[in-house]
Amino acid sequence: MKDWFSRVAACLFLVVLAGCGGGSGGSTGGTGGTGGTDTGPSSPDGAWLAFEPASLEVSQYEGESVPVSVTAYSSKTFETPFNVAIIDKNGLITTRVNVFALSQLSYRAVLNTAANLEVGRHNTSLEVRVCEDDPVTCAKPLPGSPWRLALGIQVKPKAEAASRMTLSVPSVNLTKYAEESVDFSIEAQFTGELDSPVNIGFYDPGKLTAASTSQLMMPAGGRYIFNLSTVAGSALPVGKHTSNLQLRVCRDSVDVCQSPVAGSPWIVPLAVIVKSDLNLLPLQPVPGLGAWSTYQGNAKHTGFVEANFDPAVFSRRWRFKSNDFNFSSYASNAIDNGRIFMVGTPGSWGGWELVALSEDRGDVAWRVNLKGSFSNVSSPAVGNGRVYVTSTAVEGSFLWVFDQFTGALIHKMPIASAQGTYSAPTIFGSNAYIYSDSLKNFDDRNGAFTWSGGAASVVWRGWTPSTDGRFVYTYTTEKRMLAFGANDGNLAFSIGSASNFSASYDAVPVVLTDDQMGIVVSENLMAFDLVSRKLAWAMSLASSGVPAVGNGVVYSFGANGSVLEAREPKTGNLLWTSQRLGDRKFTAVIVSRNLAFVSSSSSTVAVDLATHQVVWRYPLGGSMAISAQGVLTIMNDVGDLDAVNLR
């Protein structure tokens, strides 16, 4: 077969009849040689050519064209010149065709229905002609010609086409600050087939979002994820802005979309509230809250604050830009007496600095350079009007004590050199607990170390002890929890962990519950019963991060940090799992009576403890703290610190 198609008139659709002669296919009329040869058993009339299916049934939406596939099987070849056509006298198909060779004597043709058919049922009989002359007249048909194929098309209303697209959210409500952009995602699932690849993408007539790159949508449809973001800078003034995002599926470009598929566009209402970068509300003490004295807020490291908060009133108070202020690992800040304290190094390396910020306005109240080549300086801890930090170096390590209000150095106490990157000292009353060659207690009342505990091999990175006033607890690389007397430093008892659980060298402070359970995250989540003095339970986690304890619940992370999990402290049983928090790994949590504040490296969310849903999002992530005056601070890894009013 040299050429298989002949476009004889607008009402004709021409398609290959497979096996009807030798040669190659094309899109115009075809001719062959002379004579004929059977390649199979002799068949009377047209039995040598068969079609699968023998009749065609199609369902489509108003305004659309859909593909229709038919396969032709031949048992003969012909040398006589011929022309091939499919005659559709009712105009239900177009003149567009795709042909695929399945074998030497079988071909598949894909026809396309007409897009201008009215709603309802349409029937026709396609006449397949194979003729030695013009197939319009076909005075010299080949044996058996013409063949007839029944075609039925059910055209459904265009309005029903909208059900083919399912969106992950019915609407999007965002809050941003004037100079920022907020990222968000929308997933779309298309069910059904189209006749050809098209473009799919979001168009925003209100111009609240940055341009979205469209994707190629294949005929079989599928799942699509669109990562969008609000416009940044001063493009949107303070106030509420609304738009209707349009998910468009178009045969041309998404921006123009003069040829949409049926059902397009799908609408997602968008509301963006733009807040001022500053909201310097008068600060007032919040009942039940106190100083954020150390890592996870208190000597038990629970990360719990005894207060309720309403996310509807949250607002940014101020932002402190450190201009590339570098931190050691496990950095955190402390808050007391209207001061926020942080430790780090300037980007140009000017030595380690202790910085005090005003909680009210974010101004630098004072800063002190420690002046030394220290390998590490801990995060600050506060209490008794003092700020406590430790520094480590081969040539000399120290405990530093400063005045909170002036930054004046009060004590600089030599301690044994120790390797490691530790979290902040733990403060309980006038006592500060640190580690050098062993666990030590510094009593601020007499400015001296009062005892030194056993030389346990503590975890090198992120370590800090916890205390309930009776004992001081730590976890060691020997996979044991140790309890030292708070008054004398003598080892009171130790509890071994599961033998098959390895010890980690990362962030494993002991978190104490009200009913005397010690919770440790190593590479696993472990609970130690401090009354019966035995391992209560242990489990492997699908994520890391330091847990929080409050409301009689242990809060930790699952699914590689993408969800918050609530567990019963005495058994470890799972109580509930939050909705998915976001795309990044979340590792930090603070808990109040009604909300859990959860942070990743780039964002912070609030989870409602009753509904387990995310009820607030903030475009900065990192270490968190909550002050006695209801101010949430978030500090990222380059020293940017935001203060958020929670009241």
Side-chain angles (χ1 to χ4, degrees):
M1 218 181 283
K2 295 180 180 178
D3 291 310
W4 293 342
F5 309 114
S6 175
R7 191 170 184 174
V8 295
C11 65
L12 304 183
F13 180 80
L14 307 177
V15 65
V16 63
L17 292 186
C20 301
S24 59
S27 59
T28 59
T31 59
T34 59
T37 303
D38 287 341
T39 59
S42 176
S43 300
D45 299 324
W48 58 273
L49 187 63
F51 299 93
E52 177 65 34
S55 61
L56 305 172
E57 190 66 31
V58 180
S59 177
Q60 69 183 65
Y61 292 97
E62 181 184 11
E64 278 189 357
S65 171
V66 299
V68 186
S69 178
V70 62
T71 303
Y73 299 93
S74 174
S75 61
K76 279 187 178 184
T77 62
F78 289 86
E79 298 298 329
T80 304
F82 60 85
N83 293 295
V84 181
I86 292 180
I87 308 297
D88 172 23
K89 296 182 179 179
N90 294 322
L92 302 190
I93 59 176
T94 71
T95 58
R96 187 156 49 99
V97 63
N98 289 307
V99 180
F100 309 92
L102 303 178
S103 69
Q104 186 177 1
L105 294 176
S106 62
Y107 287 81
R108 178 168 296 151
V110 180
L111 316 176
N112 291 274
T113 62
N116 60 351
L117 302 181
E118 295 180 353
V119 173
R121 176 77 182 183
H122 301 265
N123 297 290
T124 191
S125 178
L126 301 178
E127 185 177 305
V128 182
R129 297 180 180 180
V130 183
C131 314
E132 294 182 17
D133 57 344
D134 187 335
V136 173
T137 56
C138 199
K140 297 181 179 181
L142 267 64
S145 180
W147 293 264
R148 299 186 185 278
L149 290 173
L151 171 62
I153 302 176
Q154 183 66 43
V155 180
K156 294 179 287 186
K158 184 181 294 185
E160 292 184 16
S163 63
R164 294 183 293 179
M165 188 73 76
T166 302
L167 298 175
S168 60
V169 292
S171 61
V172 176
N173 297 282
L174 303 172
T175 298
K176 67 181 289 290
Y177 292 88
E179 298 302 320
E180 295 174 347
S181 174
V182 177
D183 298 331
F184 63 100
S185 297
I186 300 177
E187 297 182 17
Q189 177 68 53
F190 186 83
T191 304
E193 292 194 5
L194 300 167
D195 60 318
S196 63
V198 294
N199 295 306
I200 179 172
F202 273 96
Y203 176 80
D204 181 7
K207 307 301 181 184
L208 304 187
T209 59
S212 172
T213 302
S214 65
Q215 302 179 38
L216 183 65
M217 183 176 179
M218 301 307 293
R223 177 172 173 264
Y224 301 85
I225 299 177
F226 297 93
N227 296 314
L228 307 167
S229 60
T230 61
V231 294
S234 58
L236 298 179
V238 172
K240 184 175 181 179
H241 307 267
T242 60
S243 182
N244 285 316
L245 297 177
Q246 299 179 9
L247 179 60
R248 294 179 171 183
V249 180
C250 316
R251 301 185 188 280
D252 53 348
S253 72
V254 168
D255 289 338
V256 177
C257 203
Q258 293 183 343
S259 181
V261 304
S264 177
W266 288 267
I267 304 300
V268 179
L270 170 65
V272 180
I273 297 176
V274 182
K275 293 185 175 182
S276 170
D277 283 342
L278 292 176
N279 188 6
L280 300 178
L281 297 172
L283 292 175
Q284 295 180 350
V286 177
L289 300 190
W292 191 270
S293 66
T294 185
Y295 187 70
Q296 284 294 83
N298 53 60
K300 291 185 176 182
H301 304 309
T302 60
F304 177 67
V305 291
E306 191 74 29
N308 288 290
F309 299 109
D310 180 4
V313 303
F314 293 176
S315 64
R316 177 184 289 169
R317 184 173 188 85
W318 47 258
R319 162 166 284 187
F320 173 77
K321 299 287 288 185
S322 67
N323 298 319
D324 196 18
F325 197 60
N326 299 315
F327 295 100
S328 63
S329 301
Y330 316 105
S332 60
N333 57 56
I335 312 175
D336 196 13
N337 292 315
R339 295 279 194 272
I340 300 169
F341 303 94
M342 53 196 290
V343 167
T345 64
S348 58
W349 182 255
W352 291 90
E353 291 187 343
L354 172 63
V355 180
L357 303 177
S358 161
E359 182 183 355
D360 185 17
R361 306 185 64 87
D363 302 325
V364 175
W366 53 261
R367 64 197 314 155
V368 173
N369 193 302
L370 271 60
K371 297 181 180 179
S373 299
F374 303 111
S375 58
N376 180 72
V377 175
S378 73
S379 292
V382 294
N384 313 301
R386 309 283 201 252
V387 185
Y388 307 84
V389 298
T390 61
S391 62
T392 58
V394 174
E395 62 272 18
S397 300
F398 301 93
L399 168 68
W400 306 70
V401 183
F402 297 90
D403 183 276
Q404 287 185 10
F405 301 96
T406 66
L409 179 63
I410 300 173
H411 300 291
K412 182 180 179 182
M413 309 292 293
I415 57 177
S417 297
Q419 294 181 338
T421 304
Y422 305 119
S423 296
T426 296
I427 309 300
F428 189 88
S430 63
N431 299 303
Y433 299 100
I434 67 167
Y435 183 84
S436 56
D437 58 337
S438 62
L439 181 64
K440 296 182 184 298
N441 172 53
F442 176 82
D443 192 332
D444 198 85
R445 291 173 298 184
N446 54 32
F449 291 105
T450 59
W451 57 257
S452 178
S457 299
V458 302
V459 174
W460 285 4
R461 297 192 294 268
W463 176 89
T464 184
S466 62
T467 183
D468 54 11
R470 299 181 306 138
F471 301 103
V472 181
Y473 305 89
T474 185
Y475 185 76
T476 75
T477 56
E478 285 82 19
K479 297 182 290 185
R480 303 192 68 83
M481 174 182 281
L482 305 183
F484 297 91
N487 294 325
D488 55 22
N490 293 329
L491 180 64
F493 61 88
S494 70
I495 307 172
S497 62
S499 60
N500 61 327
F501 280 9
S502 63
S504 170
Y505 285 86
D506 288 304
V508 287
V510 178
V511 180
L512 301 181
T513 71
D514 291 336
D515 54 2
Q516 285 301 295
M517 301 291 290
I519 309 296
V520 170
V521 169
S522 179
E523 294 174 352
N524 313 278
L525 186 64
M526 295 172 282
F528 298 85
D529 188 325
L530 304 180
V531 178
S532 63
R533 299 181 180 179
K534 64 181 181 180
L535 179 69
W537 51 265
M539 65 182 64
S540 295
L541 287 180
S543 186
S544 58
V546 176
V549 174
N551 309 305
V553 175
V554 176
Y555 302 89
S556 59
F557 297 95
N560 198 31
S562 64
V563 297
L564 184 69
E565 295 180 340
R567 297 185 178 275
E568 203 284 321
K570 290 189 175 181
T571 64
N573 292 338
L574 183 65
L575 301 175
W576 53 261
T577 299
S578 74
Q579 76 169 102
R580 194 170 186 273
L581 303 175
D583 297 330
R584 299 294 182 92
K585 181 178 181 180
F586 287 75
T587 57
V589 56
I590 294 175
V591 178
S592 71
R593 289 175 183 158
N594 66 317
L595 298 176
F597 297 91
V598 192
S599 191
S600 71
S601 61
S602 61
S603 65
T604 300
V605 303
V607 176
D608 189 298
L609 300 183
T611 66
H612 318 147
Q613 301 296 300
V614 173
V615 293
W616 176 74
R617 292 186 182 274
Y618 192 80
L620 186 74
S623 174
M624 299 179 292
I626 295 179
S627 78
Q629 301 182 96
V631 174
L632 169 69
T633 63
I634 307 169
M635 183 175 67
N636 68 10
D637 57 4
V638 295
D640 296 332
L641 190 148
D642 283 12
V644 178
N645 296 305
L646 301 182
R647 289 297 180 107

